[in-house]
Amino acid sequence: MDFSFGSEYEAFRETVRVFLGENWPLRGEEADLSESERARRFRRRATEAGYLYRNIPRRFGGSEQPPDLLEAQILREEFGRARAPMELTGQGPQMVVPTLLEWGTEWQQERFIPKTVEGDYVWCQGYSEPGAGSDLASLQTRGERVGDEWVIHGQKIWTTHWNRAQYMFALVRTEPDASKHEGISYLLLEMDQPGIDVRPLKQITGASEFAEVFFDGARTPADWIVGERGQGWRVSRSLLKHERNMLGSGARAQGLFRSLIRLATRVERQGHKAVDDPMVAEKLVELMGYVRSQQYSSYIQLTRELQGGESGLLPLLNKIGNSNIAQQISSIALSLLGSDSLLAPGANPRGTTSGNEKWMNQFMGSLGESIAGGTSNIQRNIIAERGLGLPRQESPASKDEAGGER
Amino acid sequence: MDFSFGSEYEAFRETVRVFLGENWPLRGEEADLSESERARRFRRRATEAGYLYRNIPRRFGGSEQPPDLLEAQILREEFGRARAPMELTGQGPQMVVPTLLEWGTEWQQERFIPKTVEGDYVWCQGYSEPGAGSDLASLQTRGERVGDEWVIHGQKIWTTHWNRAQYMFALVRTEPDASKHEGISYLLLEMDQPGIDVRPLKQITGASEFAEVFFDGARTPADWIVGERGQGWRVSRSLLKHERNMLGSGARAQGLFRSLIRLATRVERQGHKAVDDPMVAEKLVELMGYVRSQQYSSYIQLTRELQGGESGLLPLLNKIGNSNIAQQISSIALSLLGSDSLLAPGANPRGTTSGNEKWMNQFMGSLGESIAGGTSNIQRNIIAERGLGLPRQESPASKDEAGGER
Amino acid sequence: MNFDLSEEQRLLESSLDRFLAERCPVARVRELFDSGEGLDETLWRGLSELGVMGLHLPEEYGGSGLELLDLAVVAEAFGRHATPGPFLEHVLGGLAIALGGSEEQRSRWLPGLASGELRVSLALAEGEDRWQPEQWQLPGGARVSGVKEHVPHASGADLFVVGLHGGTLGLVEGSDPGLRGEPLEILDRSRPLSRLHLDGAGCDLLPRGAEAAPRMRDAGLVLLAADACGGGIACLDLAVAYAGTREQFGVKIGSFQALKHQLADMAIHIHPARGLFWFAAHAFEHVPEESAVSAALAKAHLTDRFLDVARASVEAHGGIGYTWECDVQFWLKRAVFDRAFLGDPSCHRRRVAEQMDWSE
Amino acid sequence: MNFDLSEEQRLLESSLDRFLAERCPVARVRELFDSGEGLDETLWRGLSELGVMGLHLPEEYGGSGLELLDLAVVAEAFGRHATPGPFLEHVLGGLAIALGGSEEQRSRWLPGLASGELRVSLALAEGEDRWQPEQWQLPGGARVSGVKEHVPHASGADLFVVGLHGGTLGLVEGSDPGLRGEPLEILDRSRPLSRLHLDGAGCDLLPRGAEAAPRMRDAGLVLLAADACGGGIACLDLAVAYAGTREQFGVKIGSFQALKHQLADMAIHIHPARGLFWFAAHAFEHVPEESAVSAALAKAHLTDRFLDVARASVEAHGGIGYTWECDVQFWLKRAVFDRAFLGDPSCHRRRVAEQMDWSE
């Protein structure tokens, strides 16, 4: 066991530090630019230096570096320390770009990747449907080939970034006679067109992060399909794997835990800080056992990926571990909040910015964990069947269930 | 809501008190008899007075009283207060006698009920089999009609009272060509015969409350069958219902909870009684919510049975509620025990009779809860399907599962 | 021996169920929730005509002279239907005056409260979750000044029962110029809350306020427990209904064993707990030595279970459970309210622990 | 950056697995359990020859000069195989002498301990669960008198490391006439315990005992956590194997969704927790400021999870899980031991809470 990076990597770290010291924050005239423009300029320089978009070819706006998880880790640490902008997040850079790199045609890559990496193109996802739920592959939105176009009818739900996205990547049933998983294609389409109607979906918190999207003869060119007709399910799987990794990292649990600690040191109970109550403190320590387990597990995975080995069960357990922790944290937070829990998420109690109100968002949000990336019950099936090798259930439902793992 | 019994019943209570004052404990010469002989004589008198074995006809040694749950409740209270012996417990009086009253022939009733009520006949149960488990109806022990006898081959497990029983009541497959549930008969048999081999089954605690019973050509007369050939499953169901009620009453949870309180007032933590530790006290109060729920639920059931009404879901929830409470109690007890948990169940720490050691028995025992009366998973299926009306699973297993509810 | 509701109570229960199904179905709850009104005047008048507001008040003042258990039956029905409105504080305010007021105070206020013509609210909580009478710090007197938190339906109330230092109670009229309500943004929109600023408001002390205050609190705990019980059962019923209709992988999701067991566990949590509030309500009048403990226990246990069941119901609904469109949201938010209002479960468990003599 | 075992450690792990599968399979564990012997001389010699007993001791005294993580790899393998015997106290006793002893004490004892020719035990606990150095009350001196609880494998030990008032340590030889061991009836027969009566026994104080004692305790917590991790994984593996072979209702019980999810939850409990003891072991030598906290956290978390998983494994086995014949019993009892020995999870969580600066 060795937590150092070795001298070669420490040299790399030093170079990164020098770069950051010189380039962030922007100086001179550039310091007066808008925040987004400053970030854009910095990202461009950091990419030229080889620090961002490392897996993307230079011709598509990336820095085309050989994969190196340790360098990636060092970059995360140093950029984080300097509070410098890292790669753009969101479904475009994190989902569409890797998919196009793996499955897209040359013209699709040229057309979409550079602008997505720059942040000019924003994407939304069209996977889930109201009738499908965790049985994603039963989706009904259909696409018909009419001349040089796909004509799309149907409905999607849980579409994020709907208010900013110019493009959607969607799973659409194009081969109605094929079997459930073989009849789906992966299409790209423009959002701003008459055949598309976007209706924001209000969540239990009152906010609208998601929308429903209705297609009534929406159109997209024939060659905006990624992969072959009927290959859409496979194309999308590589993304889900990616998404699952994103959700599974230990960092989110640690962040939530630190916030909870801050809450417990801020809230008073009978004249004492809550954190000084032995019951509260013991609960926090119990939770800390789970949080650190999650953190170390992600280090173990990282190590094994570095060495090209198998990390076994751990990646399957990651996501559900994070959901469990988020739920525990919400429950403890709710007890700490006391009467502040009566207030709306986002409300501002006592006219001070105590920050307690955001915990009601977190509490509600912990219930919504299951929407992104597969529900806990489906995940448990996968752990049992793929991870522990238990027999598939004999019912007809079972095959689909493990297939439609979302 | 009214917790009084009304003047008529208070008069009954007074009569019972007078009876007990005159008859228990025994006086004069009778006071020197053995404990069991004293109990036997008292029971005989209490039965003559109409207080015990109230649902059993007088000709079979009962007192043949009209059913009256309130009188029954008063008798429980007053006999309990006077510490007077109540009806014999065990599978003979509680399972065989009601079954014979419902299903037995006149000669079977005469032959077995009086001596069982007197305590002369002790019974053991032959239901479970090693291969069957919760799928009880898949039992394989077979009985063949040979002349005037049943000849039995096979094996039973989880047989209690094996060390004292002269008789067994058993489920045996006598109709191999019938469907699973229709092929079973309910047979009585003598334990002391060459075709039977009883092997004590050591439990995880080291004790042997249970035995395995091997049949290799064991014999019983043709007319020792209760009900018709192939009716055994139905005959046994009335018993299980009865047993489930026994297990479900709130009294057991209350008793365990009181013991836990005594443990918490006895055990010291850093110089204080554990019960004075705020964390321990809060856990006890939390548990108290469950214990009282269980207690009041049993009152509600009692009330509704009194009024001949339906008690809805409650009886289905009872048993699993008790198991859950027993497990919670065991867990808290284990924390209170500290290093005493290192000792064997039944061991006597520090040479004093602290009584802590019996908690390791309880801890282990709470794991064995599921053996008697159906496992928790099966019980949850029943609650969901019968209680909440959810659809049966489409798999072939499902029908059996709800049928073989043990 | 009868541990169950009486015939009359069942009649009350079923007539309320019918009334609420007709006059305040869940679609109406949604309207009120969306608009943030929280008070439906028509509903209030209808319920008042049914006699709900004076159920527990003496007959000489226009009440029905019934007991806390009857009120609790009403509260459970309100929980079951997620009924919005100022019921809880109104009946508690009336109770406080009936128990702690002078003859003059009772004659002046109770008839109007019983008929529903006047509306009373409660101003109890202070900062740092000081809900309990022994924690109140607002100095009493002919005029009072200070701040009270989480005052329900303050807007339009004719009267406030205000908790004062020493655990006593005073009456402040809604029209007093020294009063200012500051509406809070709240989670459960069916029961809006305000911060109440008192600035030299005129205050009429209840002569037996110090005895009435803990009794009123105990009654409030019982009614919240009853609401939680009704709400919890509604959450289970919603989830069961959804599981029996929604299909995935070609079958009803209610046929999946994992979901079945989750629904069974919900039933195991909520159904057997009903007796807790029944007994606590009964004890309020009939077993005084058990009243405080059983009320606190019922509130702690049932509001915790309500929240468990509400969370589980959201999960059982899958993604849709997480939307504003799904009705479960009303109960989830109600569960959070029931749990926090008048003090959270942990606070009441500690109170029980302090009052228990474990060595018995 | 490498958060994993080294090649050498994996080699050690797999060679131990092979060794234990051959020399101490579960059938042998059962024999020792039934006979109550607890010490298998042949196994002890075999392990000693593998170098296990001196893995962590300095090379100059015949040890291998390795680190706590290497010992923890051994402990996890022992937990996985439910290996009986006096490993834990022996390596901790050696560590205490290495860390706290004089040159003379080290030369006299360590070579024998490293080779396994001599056996050392630990006498730490006193009444009311006083396991921690700061709680010891036994007065130290050239002669000591008093009682120590829960002393493992006392019979036949050549030496005892004894915890003394002020958190220091002393050595008492097994042959001292002032010693009397009183065997206790114990739950986990693979690790027998005695009450040790000291009556003027000769005592050789460790000069740096006060520094060594908490370090020894921390190492003990790590090794118990490692044992718990191995044991928990074994419980899961047993349950999975059973679910994959046992049939009910005509199908493998492992195809029932409810059982699948219970087994998945076991995996979720135990597998991700392994890093806790790895890091705590690493911190023992390399991150001293984190050592005490991470050791206490690992012990509290992993022994709780081990017990969870062991209980769940018993349940997953159904009725048979409740019998003496079923192998799960060895791990269930081992879980109770790991949880209680050196102080229970709650005690260590409180220790962590005291050492945390939450405001950081």
Side-chain angles (χ1 to χ4, degrees), chain A residues 91-92 120-125 159-169 189-193 196 198 213:
Chain A
Q91 290 172 323
D120 293 334
Y121 288 174
V122 175
W123 293 81
C124 64
Q125 185 184 26
T159 301
T160 50
H161 306 295
W162 53 273
N163 49 349
R164 300 192 298 124
Q166 301 103 319
Y167 298 100
M168 171 183 271
F169 55 107
L189 45 103
E190 274 194 87
M191 289 298 283
D192 185 16
Q193 58 166 305
I196 290 187
V198 177
V213 178

Side-chain angles (χ1 to χ4, degrees), chain C residues 4-74:
Chain C
D4 209 341
L5 300 181
S6 67
E7 266 316 305
E8 293 75 17
Q9 285 158 345
R10 281 191 219 192
L11 211 62
L12 173 64
E13 190 174 39
S14 59
S15 65
L16 258 176
D17 270 334
R18 273 196 311 275
F19 179 89
L20 292 170
E22 188 184 312
R23 305 284 273 278
C24 194
V26 71
R28 178 69 185 136
V29 174
R30 178 171 293 282
E31 280 173 23
L32 293 164
F33 218 82
D34 281 344
S35 70
E37 281 178 51
L39 178 59
D40 177 337
E41 291 285 355
T42 320
L43 181 65
W44 174 261
R45 276 197 301 276
L47 287 167
S48 299
E49 281 159 21
L50 279 182
V52 158
M53 304 309 161
L55 218 53
H56 60 308
L57 295 178
E59 287 170 281
E60 52 188 307
Y61 302 112
S64 308
L66 296 179
E67 301 190 336
L68 184 59
L69 183 54
D70 302 281
L71 272 188
V73 166
V74 175

